Amino acid sequence: MGMLFAFRESLYGDGTTQTRHALGYSGARLIAAQRAQTPPAPAKYALGLERLGARRCSHTGWA
């Protein structure tokens, strides 16, 4: 559904760190509607999520 964006860091060798979550685009639109605000632009919001996940992580995906 795109409500949450999940990302986690791959560890050297085996395994990953704990999964971290951020609000996905659908979730951001829902919050904007609840607050009677203009929703964020899809491309700009997606870019922000990619930057957030890529900061320290090598694996990104939608939850």
Side-chain angles (χ1 to χ4, degrees), residues 5-62:
F5 182 78
F7 54 96
R8 60 184 174 207
E9 185 177 359
S10 294
L11 300 175
Y12 180 74
D14 259 350
T16 58
T17 61
Q18 67 185 11
T19 303
R20 301 176 191 272
H21 295 88
L23 200 58
Y25 182 68
S26 297
R29 285 185 53 138
L30 178 65
I31 297 298
Q34 289 176 340
R35 295 178 180 172
Q37 297 174 343
T38 303
K44 186 175 181 180
Y45 196 78
L47 182 60
L49 288 177
E50 288 178 21
R51 288 180 178 164
L52 179 66
R55 217 179 276 175
R56 296 184 53 209
C57 302
S58 58
H59 169 74
T60 58
W62 290 98

